[in-house]
Amino acid sequence: MLKFQLKALWLQKDVGLAVDQVVGTGSSPLTCYFFWPRDNAWEQLKNELDAKSWIPESDKVELLNQATEVINYWEEGRATRFHTLHEAQNRFPNVIFAGSN
Amino acid sequence: MGNQQKAGVGFTHEEFAALLDRYDYRFNPGDVVPGTVFALEPKGALIDIGAKTAAFIPLQEMSINRVDSPEEILQPDEMREFFILSEENEEGQLTLSIRRIEYMRSWERVRQLQKEDATVRAVVFAINRGGALVRIEGLRGFIPGSHISTRHAKEDLMGQELPLKFLEVDEERNRLVLSHRRALVERQMNKLETGEVVTGTVRGIKPYGAFIDIGGVSGLLHISEISHDHIETPHNVFSVGDELKVMIIDLDADRGRISLSTKQLEPEPGDMVRNRALVFEKAEEMAQRWREKQAAKLAGSPEGAQESDVVTATEEEDLAPAAV
């Protein structure tokens, strides 16, 4: 079971990504939201995770791979037709979608 | 007796203190440090953060939510981050908190969500006289009654998931206030277009205009947009419950405002006062004309005129029949 959880903020102009730590019965916020393409969310998330040496390397890789997929899917929508929150949630059932506009 | 042994190896009190300082200089109240859960106790847990003595986290500092036993949050050998709450006590033990970290990070996230004007979804977990309570990013948020939009009793919202927009995010005053109404207006707005004719019901009449319910959200028919004729008060024209056709002339998503007009639907100035039925009968036709006028206005802007020699702004009268 993954001990970390990716969260996404699904916006028309940007996509925001954050990480929660799964603890006991709930989850605990680990990072703030990082935005793409306004900022380089992937790079920022990587730096934030790398600064936390206590997180297992395999979890970091898993989280960053997920982040890449979410960003790619968002980019795909930008190139064609914006994917709705509902579509994004169906595509990524393991990601928690925190909000939209 | 420990003291005696230390004294025996020539360790003065000052030297000992200096040594402690050197070793624990990195642990200051307010710092966030990684730690490993060492042991769970009934009222808290011992955490190894690399200090000389295991640090202690009391049960009430484990989460922003109510926790009844440490097992709900922590497991032995688990790693995570902790906030250093207070300096060492006499035994050299630091007090830690997770609650503080969660507050800091949750408020930051909520500020981010507000800045993006995001719509969030949350389940109502309590209802009181003033409104309803939800959790957003772990924080307790309040929806005032005036911002709850439901045709049913407020109590029926218990356990329901609602779309919400942020009204107020104030960490210092611990205020997180949300609006259900604004989220609905936005959603409804996405379906509406300016120039569109919709059927609505008069919900309220004020000196400055009438509020019209269109599909669950409220729009304003300002007194100046009722008719080309002068209107003394909207009461002379409408009664609550009246059903009428209105045209949408403006949508302001930021403020959640929908502006309506019947004036623009009048075939002849003053028809709203004299023959309302005629206005509604011709509403679609008049709206079509209005839309064309608007389009012509846009095309008639300096840049537009230069690009297009064929269609000039003054031809709007001729365009109308052609399009119909």
Side-chain angles (χ1 to χ4, degrees), chain B residues 124-319:
Chain B
V124 174
F125 73 84
I127 290 168
N128 59 30
R129 237 178 338 150
L133 295 175
V134 291
R135 281 201 180 281
I136 306 288
E137 294 284 353
L139 299 171
R140 180 193 287 235
F142 176 64
I143 316 164
S146 61
H147 278 272
I148 296 174
S149 198
T150 175
R151 295 202 171 121
H152 308 283
K154 208 169 59 183
E155 286 65 33
D156 292 348
L157 289 177
M158 189 71 184
Q160 273 199 46
E161 193 186 63
L162 305 178
L164 303 165
K165 286 266 185 190
F166 293 90
L167 286 180
E168 193 183 343
V169 175
D170 188 338
E171 180 175 6
E172 270 174 37
R173 291 167 63 212
N174 197 25
R175 279 174 67 86
L176 178 53
V177 187
L178 300 120
S179 172
H180 176 222
R181 190 166 55 78
R182 262 197 68 207
L184 290 187
V185 168
E186 188 190 71
R187 190 191 292 177
Q188 187 70 11
M189 272 190 179
N190 290 338
K191 287 189 244 157
L192 299 171
E193 279 180 54
T194 53
E196 188 181 348
V197 174
V198 291
T199 302
T201 310
V202 178
R203 283 270 174 255
I205 299 174
K206 303 276 181 206
Y208 53 87
F211 285 98
I212 317 292
D213 179 288
I214 47 172
V217 297
S218 178
L220 176 66
L221 176 54
H222 190 264
I223 186 163
S224 65
E225 283 295 338
I226 294 176
S227 172
H228 286 86
D229 269 13
H230 176 70
I231 305 289
E232 204 64 52
T233 160
H235 286 280
N236 294 346
V237 191
F238 302 121
S239 308
V240 170
D242 280 5
E243 205 167 87
L244 51 137
K245 280 188 181 175
V246 289
M247 183 175 69
I248 294 158
I249 53 169
D250 190 51
L251 293 166
D252 182 343
D254 290 343
R255 288 187 290 179
R257 282 192 195 158
I258 302 172
S259 305
L260 308 169
S261 175
T262 48
K263 178 183 177 175
Q264 310 296 339
L265 299 178
E266 287 182 331
E268 296 294 332
D271 277 349
M272 265 310 282
V273 185
R274 292 190 303 270
N275 188 356
R276 230 203 274 186
L278 179 71
V279 177
F280 298 156
E281 193 190 310
K282 302 255 183 190
E284 271 76 17
E285 192 182 318
M286 293 302 294
Q288 175 69 22
R289 253 193 242 184
W290 185 84
R291 289 194 293 268
E292 280 157 9
K293 265 190 208 174
Q294 295 300 111
K297 259 190 219 168
L298 280 176
S301 63
E303 298 86 14
Q306 275 168 5
E307 281 171 14
S308 136
D309 296 331
V310 187
V311 182
T312 65
T314 50
E315 285 172 344
E316 60 193 37
E317 301 294 335
D318 303 332
L319 281 174

